[in-house]
Amino acid sequence: MKRRLKRSAIIALVVLLVAAVAAIAAGRGAAEADPVTAYSDGTYYVEGEPDARGRQALIEITVLNGAIIAVHYDEVERNEAGEVTMSKRDNYGYAGGWRAARDDDVTQLSAFPAYENQLLLTGDLGKVDLVSGATGSYESFKEVAAEALERARR
């Protein structure tokens, strides 16, 4: 059962990625920058404040020709020297704990790419929808993405 759910999550991610590439290639979504929301070209990196558990949201958004072309989001823990000691991005052990605590198959492995792809496709943070079961990550994503996009508008 878990193997089937994992396979379904991977298939869903592949479908989202293919849709993103197809939308960009077809000139839809973020590829056509609206002059009102066009961003300055560059790469914008933002680190949020650590949460109650000491985890810190990070985002890097790349803009080309006024449109968002890449989004990378993660949540990390750092040691006293500031070095990353845990990244949720590809942490299957963390995902296993998340699954064990819930009845569904939502984890950071599915939620992070969903948030990234929605922002990439729409170019509009207001159109990024919540993935049920990943509310804390949704709030953190929106916070750091808003700051990065604000910097891109300057």
Side-chain angles (χ1 to χ4, degrees), residues 6-92:
K6 185 183 282 185
R7 190 174 300 139
S8 296
I10 290 170
I11 290 170
L13 289 175
V14 169
V15 168
L16 280 171
L17 290 173
V18 169
V21 170
I24 290 170
R28 297 189 318 256
E32 287 184 11
D34 176 19
V36 175
T37 60
Y39 304 109
S40 299
D41 290 358
T43 299
Y44 303 91
Y45 178 79
V46 172
E47 295 183 0
E49 292 296 319
D51 65 14
R53 295 181 182 138
R55 297 183 185 130
Q56 186 176 26
L58 318 170
I59 198 162
E60 183 175 273
I61 297 175
T62 303
V63 175
L64 182 64
N65 296 325
I68 299 169
I69 63 163
V71 180
H72 177 81
Y73 176 77
D74 198 359
E75 294 174 14
V76 301
E77 291 178 6
R78 298 179 187 269
N79 62 18
E80 292 175 4
E83 300 162 332
V84 173
T85 58
M86 190 277 291
S87 165
K88 284 186 181 180
R89 179 81 198 174
D90 298 314
N91 189 324
Y92 294 95

Side-chain angles (χ1 to χ4, degrees), residues 92-142:
Y92 294 95
Y94 186 87
W98 194 337
R99 280 189 192 103
R102 302 181 45 81
D103 289 336
D104 59 28
D105 200 38
V106 173
T107 70
Q108 82 283 8
L109 302 175
S110 58
F112 290 7
Y115 296 146
E116 293 167 338
N117 288 329
Q118 288 180 65
L119 182 56
L120 182 64
L121 284 172
T122 66
D124 183 351
L125 187 58
K127 293 182 180 176
V128 175
D129 294 325
L130 168 70
V131 173
S132 181
T135 305
S137 292
Y138 176 75
E139 297 298 329
S140 296
F141 176 86
K142 290 194 73 151

